[in-house]
Amino acid sequence: MEKIRTTVRIAGKDYTIASTDSAEYVNRVASWVNSRMEELAAATNLPAAQLAVLTAVNAADDMMKSRDEIRRLKAELDALRHPADGEADA
C-alpha cells in the first residue's frame, strides 16, 4: 500500500507524516495531539519537549486502559457465550 504524505500542525510547528492511513485520519490524530498539548500548556508552564513527553505518557495511559477494558469485555462476552459447565443461566 502506498504511503500518503500529510502535513499537520502541532504546537505551532508543521510536521509531514507519511502513512498508509488517509489524510483525514492523520489530521484527526494530529488534532487530538495538538488539543492535548494545548490543554497541558494551559495548565502547566513546561517547555515544548516536556509537554510532548507528558502528552505521550497520557496517550499511552489512555491506550493501556482501553486495551485492558477491551480484554475485560472480551472475557465477559466469552463467558456469556460459553457459560462454565454446571452454572445455571440467570
Side-chain angles (χ1 to χ4, degrees):
M1 188 171 227
E2 188 173 327
K3 290 192 175 188
I4 300 167
R5 296 174 64 80
T6 305
T7 301
V8 297
R9 191 176 240 341
I10 300 172
K13 293 187 178 184
D14 289 336
Y15 297 90
T16 299
I17 299 172
S19 174
T20 56
D21 294 313
S22 70
E24 177 186 3
Y25 177 79
V26 171
N27 277 302
R28 277 182 42 218
V29 170
S31 178
W32 184 91
V33 170
N34 189 58
S35 294
R36 298 299 84 73
M37 287 188 70
E38 285 177 352
E39 288 173 12
L40 289 171
T44 67
N45 196 22
L46 295 173
Q50 288 179 323
L51 281 173
V53 170
L54 188 54
T55 300
V57 169
N58 286 336
D61 176 53
D62 288 346
M63 179 194 67
M64 289 179 154
K65 286 177 180 173
S66 294
R67 285 182 175 179
D68 289 346
E69 181 67 2
I70 288 167
R71 275 191 217 100
R72 186 192 69 75
L73 290 170
K74 283 181 177 179
E76 185 178 328
L77 180 59
D78 190 49
L80 289 170
R81 286 182 175 162
H82 310 286
D85 292 331
E87 285 188 13
D89 290 335

